[in-house]
């Protein structure tokens, strides 16, 4: 397979950061139990993760190719490796804020680099879309693996136990291995650079993207999607623990089942993107997910969980709730691939930066709103609210599909 080595490295890097980024739901649940942190206070961890992603992406997107795509990824992996090796010794809540801030900064470097690299290792629009779908699917495999990994270190009999922090030894080692694999891999970055422009010119290229209506509707789609996605991913463990009254380890494993459903949905998007227009895939997924919310959430009221309940004897809704993620999953890679395939490769870094910025802002707002409504009202009402952004998402996608981009040379 052409470019096999670098493609494998991109998958591995995405896998590592999938675990680190999406551990925020597990950490939110654990810091509530370990340190007595309230839901609204714990929800700020999403902001410490996403706001650095947004800020750094905006600053770095224009001139990251000049720093070097490979160099950027190496810096990111070095930073998170060091922080992971520090975490087992922590005993204060502020360490977790620092952890997610560093993870956020590093992910900004990784995601822009990975998205930019896709255009360098694929040759056609359909290959681009398919590779994006498989890459995002593998990201969700990382989320699944991360939830399972964290659950193995949880002590259900002692909620105050901090032995789960030992999981960061494993994550630090995994980050270090990814660093070494990348260090010895080769990537031709020449097409990602615009030789005609300096730094100021690169900034102008980034700003020029806002002049296209298709880009604006895309950014709205990305914002709305991640707002919904992060709400579910971040708060599913807490929902299972407090609403469904399941053990902590099983609640975290529910996040793994949700991630597995996301992974399956994104792998399938890699297949369906070759067969159907992206707008049909996105419309089907949005409508299907909205319908599943209306059908599944009512089943979570007044549910009876017996002592000793596990995956083999749990009520049906325990399985249904995370499986909804399979419908939501194909949307993100579909819209990302469409917009990246619409512009020249030298603008991919700038566009990737905007994707990360608006995704990060959406994730932060979605998680904080969900955390607030969860605390003040109920978990069910918090998730019902997602019907509003879902409605706006499908409208924005329809407008996006009708518009074209003709970049100026």
């Amino acid at each position: 397979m052409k470019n096999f080595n670098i493609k494998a490295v991109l998958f591995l890097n995405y896998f590592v950061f999938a675990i680190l980024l999406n551990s925020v739901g597990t950490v939110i649940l654990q810091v509530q139990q370990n340190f007595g942190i309230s839901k609204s206070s714990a929800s700020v961890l999403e902001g410490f993760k996403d706001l650095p992603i947004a800020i750094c992406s905006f600053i770095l997107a224009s001139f990251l190719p000049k720093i070097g795509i490979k160099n950027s990824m190496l810096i990111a992996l070095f930073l998170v490796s060091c922080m992971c090796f520090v975490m087992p010794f922590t005993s204060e809540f502020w360490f977790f804020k620092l952890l997610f801030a560093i993870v956020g900064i590093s992910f900004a470097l990784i995601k822009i680099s990975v998205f930019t690299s896709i255009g360098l290792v694929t040759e056609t629009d359909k290959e681009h879309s398919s590779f994006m779908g498989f890459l995002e699917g593998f990201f969700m495999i990382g989320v699944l693996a991360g939830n399972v990994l964290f659950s193995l270190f949880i002590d259900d009999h002692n909620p105050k136990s901090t032995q789960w922090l030992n999981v960061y030894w494993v994550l630090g080692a995994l980050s270090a291995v990814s660093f070494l694999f990348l260090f010895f891999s080769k990537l031709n970055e020449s097409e990602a650079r615009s030789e005609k422009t300096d730094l100021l010119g690169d900034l102008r290229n980034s700003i020029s993207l806002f002049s296209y209506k298709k880009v604006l509707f895309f950014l709205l789609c990305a914002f709305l999607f991640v707002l919904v996605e992060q709400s579910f991913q971040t708060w599913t463990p807490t929902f299972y623990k407090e609403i469904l009254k399941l053990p902590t380890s099983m609640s975290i494993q529910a996040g793994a089942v949700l991630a597995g459903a996301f992974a399956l949905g994104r792998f399938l998007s890699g297949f369906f993107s070759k067969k159907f227009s992206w707008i049909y895939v996105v419309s089907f997924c949005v409508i299907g997910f909205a319908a599943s919310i209306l059908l599944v959430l009512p089943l979570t009221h007044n549910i009876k969980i017996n002592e000793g309940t596990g995956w083999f004897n749990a009520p049906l809704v325990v399985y249904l709730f995370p499986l909804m993620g399979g419908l939501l999953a194909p949307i993100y890679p579909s819209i990302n691939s469409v917009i990246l395939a619409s512009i020249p490769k030298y603008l991919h870094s700038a566009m990737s930066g905007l994707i990360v910025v608006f995704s990060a802002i959406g994730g932060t707002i979605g998680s904080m709103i969900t955390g607030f409504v969860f605390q003040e009202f109920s978990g069910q009402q918090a998730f019902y609210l997602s019907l509003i952004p879902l409605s706006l998402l499908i409208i924005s996608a329809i407008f996006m599909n009708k518009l074209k981009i003709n970049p100026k040379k």
Side-chain angles (χ1 to χ4, degrees):
M1 182 190 296
K2 189 176 181 180
N3 297 311
F4 176 80
N5 287 347
I6 192 63
K7 286 181 178 179
V9 169
L10 296 181
F11 275 102
L12 180 58
N13 288 350
Y14 233 38
F15 181 83
V16 170
F17 276 87
I19 297 175
L20 289 166
L21 278 169
N22 290 277
S23 66
V24 66
T26 297
V27 173
I28 282 176
L29 175 58
Q30 287 302 102
V31 297
Q32 291 178 68
Q33 298 185 131
N34 288 167
F35 308 113
I37 305 297
S38 68
K39 291 183 181 65
S40 56
S41 296
S43 70
V44 302
L45 290 178
E46 192 79 54
F48 274 88
K49 170 174 67 74
D50 287 338
L51 292 181
I53 293 175
I55 294 168
C56 291
S57 297
F58 182 78
I59 294 171
L60 294 172
S62 299
F63 55 91
L64 182 139
K66 287 183 170 58
I67 298 173
I69 296 171
K70 179 178 174 179
N71 290 338
S72 298
M73 290 191 281
L74 288 172
I75 292 169
L77 290 166
F78 176 78
L79 289 174
V80 296
S81 297
C82 292
M83 193 63 205
C84 282
F85 290 133
V86 170
M87 290 307 295
F89 304 102
T90 61
S91 58
E92 301 286 342
F93 182 50
W94 69 266
F95 277 102
F96 296 95
K97 296 178 182 179
L98 179 60
L99 168 68
F100 284 111
I102 289 176
V103 168
I105 293 168
S106 300
F107 184 64
L109 292 167
I110 287 287
K111 190 165 186 176
I112 297 172
S113 299
V114 168
F115 274 25
T116 304
S117 299
I118 294 174
L120 303 178
V121 298
T122 57
E123 297 179 351
T124 66
D125 290 354
K126 286 191 174 181
E127 186 185 355
H128 189 290
S129 179
S130 180
F131 186 78
M132 177 77 79
F134 286 121
L135 185 66
E136 291 287 351
F138 199 72
F139 184 88
M140 298 315 301
I141 293 293
V143 178
L144 185 158
N147 279 282
V148 172
L149 181 62
F150 271 87
S151 72
L152 296 176
F153 286 80
I154 297 295
D155 184 353
D156 285 325
H157 303 292
N158 181 14
K160 292 290 185 181
S161 173
T162 58
Q163 72 172 21
W164 65 278
L165 291 173
N166 289 321
V167 74
Y168 286 103
W169 290 116
V170 179
L171 297 179
L174 188 59
S175 301
V177 169
S178 186
F179 177 94
L180 292 174
F181 270 106
L182 177 60
F183 185 81
F184 291 105
S185 299
K186 294 181 179 180
L187 174 64
N188 184 355
E189 306 178 19
S190 58
E191 286 188 273
R193 299 187 181 96
S194 176
E195 303 296 343
K196 298 178 181 178
T197 61
D198 54 11
L199 176 57
L200 188 59
D202 289 336
L203 289 171
R204 280 197 293 265
N205 283 335
S206 296
I207 295 172
S208 71
L209 289 169
F210 287 103
S211 65
Y212 301 107
K213 291 182 180 179
K214 183 166 186 164
V215 170
L216 297 178
F217 278 108
F218 160 75
L219 292 174
L220 181 58
C221 286
F223 169 84
L224 292 168
F225 170 80
V226 180
L227 187 149
V228 175
E229 179 194 44
Q230 285 300 114
S231 297
F232 276 82
Q233 286 190 343
T234 300
W235 290 98
T236 287
T238 300
F239 185 86
Y240 268 64
K241 175 69 177 176
E242 298 196 3
I243 303 300
L244 302 184
K245 308 298 183 184
L246 292 168
T248 301
S249 60
M250 192 173 171
S251 299
I252 294 171
Q253 289 163 6
V257 178
L258 177 65
F262 264 91
L264 177 61
R266 288 187 173 169
F267 282 132
L268 289 176
S269 77
F271 170 76
F272 287 119
S273 63
K274 294 181 177 180
K275 304 291 183 181
F276 304 100
S277 171
W278 72 273
I279 189 62
Y280 295 128
V281 174
V282 169
S283 299
F284 175 83
C285 290
V286 172
I287 293 170
F289 187 75
S292 67
I293 289 175
L294 295 174
L295 292 173
V296 173
L297 280 182
L299 301 177
T300 65
H301 290 279
N302 303 316
I303 191 170
K304 301 292 184 182
I305 298 293
N306 298 321
E307 187 176 348
T309 295
W311 286 110
F312 294 106
N313 59 353
L316 180 62
V317 68
V318 172
Y319 308 100
L320 291 178
F321 185 82
L323 292 179
M324 296 191 302
L327 287 167
L328 194 63
I331 298 172
Y332 196 60
S334 296
I335 60 175
N336 284 344
S337 181
V338 166
I339 200 67
L340 287 171
S342 300
I343 61 177
K345 290 181 180 179
Y346 72 86
L347 287 174
H348 282 199
S349 176
M351 189 70 248
S352 299
L354 293 180
I355 291 172
V356 178
V357 169
F358 281 80
S359 298
I361 295 172
T364 297
I365 293 175
S367 181
M368 294 182 73
I369 290 174
T370 302
F372 174 79
V373 177
F374 200 130
Q375 178 174 291
E376 300 298 326
F377 300 96
S378 72
Q380 288 92 344
Q381 286 180 290
F383 289 134
Y384 275 128
L385 276 180
S386 63
L387 293 172
I388 297 173
L390 285 172
S391 301
L392 296 174
L393 172 57
I394 195 168
I395 293 171
S396 301
I398 291 171
F399 277 105
M400 176 183 162
N401 184 53
K402 293 180 178 179
L403 297 168
K404 304 291 182 184
I405 289 181
N406 297 305
K408 300 167 186 175
K409 303 293 182 183

